[in-house]
């Protein structure tokens, strides 16, 4: 049956129209390809049609057929197997397939005499081949090819669209996964600064459940308790930000969580612009900077405390050394002795500071080595510390209070002496008006508890934990008058912890303090690593 030319053109136009409709209305690639192959076969007056799609990774696979029982599709594989690599629409040259066609016809029992095949390209991307077979021997004409060309082009566009859609979906899923897995809080804002997306990390950071945060105004969710950047997002937007893509805005400060508590964060707002320069979205990346802030505070404390602690002894040593270099001072033996004594004392203080700093840095780096582990008689250690301080403690009464049967424990004697020494030197330093300092030892079935009490300035309740931090010193005239770098208690607690013990203080401002160190009687030191562990 042959169609007259007009009918033929009308049919072709109708087919192309319905293919175009199918392409815009459906994303079902297979259905579109089926329609295309059906149209191709019919318009070319063939009997059988096949579309083989090509994937650079997986090679060819048949995606649509017409006039062919599905079971027979695989029999056509030799056709695509033998295809030469296809690099561009221009150099596609179909090899002679008549031999293969004969074999396939034989295997399938189908009458297949002629085949025409055209590649499907979108620009330089080769997407597959469309085949039409005839059972009669009429050769395919250039016109036939021309018609098939238009169908192949449609098929190529449909395949390309489907692949683009698929990669857009994959891309979106990848983005979703990235958003959700990110440890930083991420939000996507609309141009009117309402929240379009809000990831899990931001839920944890702000305390805003995702459902509540979505569609809220940015300023409802991000409220600053303190903000130390030139402008907030809203202020920057009022001033004309963003002017172009890539110009990010950084805002840092203390964010008020939904429950009222605060957290230090830094937010980077990155605008996503349209081609015309409008704002498409603003991406906000919220980072918890509490640790940086703490590190900053620590660094400031370190610099102020250590520089002060270095300056004082160096100034004293220099002053005395200069005086001693004068002939007048050399003639006065007593003065000389006093000054040399003071120089030695200040040099010792510097050496202690350096030792403490080294210990702190070792502790930070992973641990302080135990110097040696032995039987330790804490009573003896307490006596030794007492003797050491008695000469300089004229205003104080130093008293030991230990039961006779005070137990021996296992530990590092030098480190434990360092700990007790810190307690006692603090008790003296921070009771400038003197009073009694008692070093007490008590034993319970499980623990020995050492305590050092004084009648000094005491410590405000809200600072009783902080004084165990590195470089922390209570602000006040009494502390300022006493030298110190704020490391003693930090190291003491680390030493006691490494022995499996605990360290704490009880104090009342103006009335005195008692520092405690409880150590297990049976320290399984063999089980502990041979280091003093840093804080939990
Ligand atoms: P330092 O004495 O070198 O400053 P510490 O770590 O030993 O460092 O002590 C930290 C802070 O704790 C001190 O600066 C002081 O403010 C406070 N403190 C420690 N011991 C006492 C005490 N017995 N009485 C009052 N305040 C104390």
């Amino acid at each position: 049956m042959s169609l007259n030319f007009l009918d033929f053109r009308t049919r072709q136009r109708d087919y192309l129209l319905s293919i175009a409709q199918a392409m815009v209305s459906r994303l079902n690639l297979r259905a579109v390809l089926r329609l295309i192959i059906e149209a191709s076969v019919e318009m070319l007056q063939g009997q059988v049609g096949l579309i083989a799609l090509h994937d650079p990774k997986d090679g060819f696979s048949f995606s649509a057929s017409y006039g062919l029982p599905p079971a027979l599709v695989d029999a056509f594989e030799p056709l695509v197997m033998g295809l030469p690599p296809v690099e561009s629409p221009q150099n596609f040259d179909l090899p002679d397939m008549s031999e293969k066609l004969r074999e396939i016809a034989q295997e399938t029992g189908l009458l297949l005499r002629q085949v025409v095949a055209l590649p499907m390209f979108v620009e330089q991307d080769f997407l597959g081949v469309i085949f039409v077979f005839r059972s009669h021997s009429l050769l395919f004409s250039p016109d036939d090819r021309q018609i098939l060309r238009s169908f192949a082009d449609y098929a190529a566009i449909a395949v390309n669209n489907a692949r683009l859609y698929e990669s857009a979906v994959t891309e979106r899923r990848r983005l979703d996964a990235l958003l959700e897995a990110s440890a930083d809080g991420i939000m996507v804002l609309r141009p009117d600064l309402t929240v379009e997306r809000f990831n899990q990390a931001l839920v944890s950071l702000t305390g805003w459940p995702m459902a509540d945060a979505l569609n809220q105004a940015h300023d409802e969710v991000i409220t600053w308790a303190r903000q130390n950047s030139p402008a907030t997002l809203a202020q920057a937007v009022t001033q004309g930000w963003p002017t172009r893509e890539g110009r990010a805005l950084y805002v840092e400060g203390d964010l008020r969580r939904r429950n009222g508590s605060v957290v230090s964060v830094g937010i980077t707002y990155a605008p996503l612009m349209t081609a015309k320069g409008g704002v498409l979205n603003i991406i906000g990346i919220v980072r918890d900077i509490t640790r940086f802030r703490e590190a900053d505070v620590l660094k400031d404390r370190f610099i102020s405390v250590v520089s002060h602690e270095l300056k004082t002894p160096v100034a004293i040593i220099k002053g005395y050394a200069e005086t001693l270099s004068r002939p007048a001072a050399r003639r006065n033996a007593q003065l000389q002795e006093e000054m040399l004594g003071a120089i030695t004392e200040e040099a010792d203080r510097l050496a202690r500071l350096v030792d403490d700093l080294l210990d702190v840095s070792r502790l930070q780096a992973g641990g302080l080595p135990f110097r040696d582990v032995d039987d330790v008689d804490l009573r003896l250690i307490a006596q030794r510390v007492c003797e050491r301080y008695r000469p300089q403690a004229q205003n104080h009464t130093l008293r030991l209070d230990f039961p006779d049967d005070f137990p021996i424990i296992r530990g590092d004697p030098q480190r434990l002496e360092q700990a007790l020494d810190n307690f006692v030197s603090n008790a003296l330093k921070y009771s400038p008006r003197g009073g009694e300092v008692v070093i007490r030892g008590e034993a319970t079935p499980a623990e020995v508890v050492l305590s050092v009490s004084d009648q000094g300035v005491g410590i405000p309740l809200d600072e009783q934990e902080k004084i165990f931090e590195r470089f922390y010193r209570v602000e006040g005239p009494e502390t300022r008058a006493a030298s110190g770098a704020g490391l003693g208690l930090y190291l003491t607690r680390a030493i006691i912890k490494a022995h499996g013990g605990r360290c704490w203080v009880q104090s009342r401002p103006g009335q005195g303090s008692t520092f405690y160190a409880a150590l297990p009687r049976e320290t399984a030191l063999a089980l502990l690593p041979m280091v003093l562990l840093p804080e939990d």
Side-chain angles (χ1 to χ4, degrees):
M1 174 198 72
S2 85
L3 298 163
N4 72 43
F5 183 73
L6 211 62
D7 277 354
F8 185 84
R9 281 287 171 219
T10 316
R11 290 290 300 280
Q12 185 187 14
R13 197 203 59 203
D14 287 351
Y15 265 128
L16 291 176
L17 213 67
S18 53
I19 292 168
Q21 266 168 0
M23 276 168 59
V24 292
S25 64
R26 296 184 229 173
L27 280 163
N28 182 341
L29 178 65
R30 275 180 188 277
V32 174
L33 292 182
R34 215 172 305 123
L35 192 59
I36 290 174
I37 195 66
E38 178 191 327
S40 309
V41 171
E42 209 161 295
M43 295 307 296
L44 266 63
Q45 294 169 48
Q47 276 66 46
V48 170
L50 268 176
I51 292 179
L53 293 190
H54 182 262
D55 184 288
K57 271 201 307 265
D58 304 333
F60 284 102
S61 61
F62 291 115
S63 299
S65 68
Y66 180 76
L68 197 62
L72 294 184
V73 169
D74 285 349
F76 287 76
E77 219 150 75
L79 280 187
V80 285
M81 301 271 272
L83 283 181
V86 186
E87 267 128 30
S88 76
Q90 293 77 31
N91 73 1
F92 182 78
D93 202 6
L94 200 66
D96 180 12
M97 292 188 168
S98 46
E99 181 59 28
K100 282 186 179 152
L101 196 60
R102 244 193 314 280
E103 283 167 19
I104 296 168
Q106 222 165 35
E107 196 187 326
T108 56
L110 295 169
L111 199 58
L112 302 171
R113 290 226 170 89
Q114 297 292 326
V115 57
V116 65
L118 282 181
M120 300 174 342
F121 271 95
V122 165
E123 292 179 355
Q124 295 299 305
D125 284 343
F126 172 61
L127 300 176
V129 182
I130 183 165
F131 295 92
V132 173
F133 305 88
R134 274 181 182 162
S135 55
H136 52 85
S137 48
L138 199 66
L139 280 173
F140 284 102
S141 67
D143 263 359
D144 289 336
R145 288 175 181 278
Q146 199 50 47
I147 293 162
L148 191 58
R149 174 81 277 148
S150 59
F151 288 126
D153 286 347
Y154 269 88
I157 293 167
V159 171
N160 194 46
N161 282 353
R163 289 196 177 158
L164 285 177
Y165 179 73
E166 199 177 295
S167 71
V169 169
T170 315
E171 204 49 49
R172 168 122 202 155
R173 283 181 47 214
R174 194 177 300 163
L175 213 67
D176 284 351
L178 209 75
L179 216 66
E180 285 318 311
S182 163
D184 287 336
I186 300 177
M187 60 187 155
V188 178
L189 303 175
R190 301 188 187 92
D192 66 356
L193 305 187
T194 54
V195 177
E196 188 176 311
R197 299 205 57 174
F198 201 78
N199 77 345
Q200 200 49 47
L202 205 48
V203 170
S204 317
L205 204 62
T206 59
W208 275 77
M210 200 179 296
D212 290 4
L214 291 179
N215 303 318
Q216 282 285 350
H218 166 273
D219 285 2
E220 286 291 315
V221 183
I222 303 296
T223 54
W224 297 104
R226 188 185 55 84
Q227 182 273 116
N228 45 6
S229 303
T232 61
L233 174 66
Q235 287 161 344
V237 169
T238 321
Q239 289 158 20
W241 181 88
T243 44
R244 61 177 168 79
E245 201 162 289
R247 168 137 313 167
L249 171 76
Y250 183 70
V251 183
E252 192 183 288
D254 292 338
L255 186 75
R256 201 183 296 287
R257 286 201 178 99
R258 206 179 192 189
N259 66 7
S261 64
V262 291
V263 56
S264 297
V265 298
I267 308 184
T268 306
Y269 297 98
L272 215 65
M273 312 288 273
T274 62
K276 285 189 175 157
V279 175
L280 194 63
N281 278 122
I282 292 171
I283 319 282
I285 299 173
V286 188
R287 181 162 288 181
D288 184 344
I289 55 165
T290 312
R291 287 203 167 273
F292 296 115
R293 291 286 312 275
E294 282 171 357
D296 252 8
V297 170
L298 210 63
K299 189 191 73 196
D300 292 348
R301 268 199 234 151
F302 169 80
I303 291 170
S304 86
V305 163
V306 172
S307 54
H308 175 261
E309 281 308 289
L310 287 175
K311 235 184 186 160
T312 318
V314 169
I316 294 174
I317 290 172
K318 186 162 186 284
Y320 285 161
E322 273 169 8
T323 314
L324 279 173
S325 67
R326 289 196 203 112
R330 271 193 231 131
R331 284 194 292 273
N332 185 335
Q334 195 196 336
L335 189 70
Q336 247 182 36
E337 198 168 322
E338 270 172 27
M339 286 184 179
L340 286 170
I343 288 175
T344 312
E345 204 175 287
E346 293 306 318
D348 285 348
R349 197 166 119 188
L350 277 177
R352 265 197 311 277
L353 175 66
V354 172
D355 279 349
D356 280 357
L357 284 172
L358 284 174
D359 278 353
V360 169
S361 98
R362 286 190 197 115
L363 207 54
Q364 292 303 302
L368 272 180
F370 274 138
R371 293 197 176 116
D372 96 84
V373 175
D374 207 342
D375 284 348
V376 182
D377 185 344
L378 289 169
R379 204 156 59 140
L380 265 182
I381 287 182
Q383 273 165 8
R384 208 165 37 234
V385 173
C386 222
E387 295 317 317
R388 187 175 312 137
Y389 284 101
R390 203 159 264 143
Q392 34 177 305
Q394 282 102 5
N395 287 338
H396 298 85
T397 318
L398 274 168
R399 191 157 67 77
L400 286 175
D401 181 8
F402 278 76
D404 288 337
D405 57 350
F406 193 75
I408 301 286
I409 62 159
R410 297 265 319 153
D412 180 330
Q414 285 186 52
R415 290 293 188 195
L416 289 173
E417 183 160 340
Q418 182 184 353
L420 191 64
D421 190 291
N422 274 327
F423 277 175
V424 175
S425 85
N426 280 350
L428 297 171
K429 263 195 323 194
Y430 301 110
S431 51
R433 282 193 295 198
E436 192 171 48
V437 171
V438 183
I439 310 171
R440 184 168 285 124
E442 287 160 295
T444 69
E447 287 180 326
V448 297
V449 183
L450 284 181
S451 65
V452 176
S453 48
D454 63 59
Q455 297 170 323
V457 297
I459 302 148
L461 188 64
D462 60 342
E463 303 199 73
Q464 290 180 7
E465 253 318 291
K466 292 192 183 141
I467 55 174
F468 291 95
E469 290 171 13
R470 271 173 294 171
F471 305 112
Y472 192 88
R473 307 194 76 207
V474 177
E475 277 290 326
E478 297 92 352
T479 301
R480 229 169 291 131
S483 69
L487 295 175
L489 291 178
Y490 172 73
L491 289 172
T492 298
R493 181 174 264 183
I495 291 169
I496 302 301
K497 268 194 175 176
H499 284 78
R502 300 163 292 131
C503 196
W504 71 100
V505 63
Q506 278 179 348
S507 176
R508 271 203 199 179
Q511 292 185 22
S513 315
T514 304
F515 281 86
Y516 296 89
L519 294 155
R521 286 176 69 157
E522 299 295 327
T523 316
L525 281 183
L527 297 178
L528 287 174
M530 292 300 281
V531 290
L532 300 176
L533 297 173
E535 278 179 273
D536 298 338

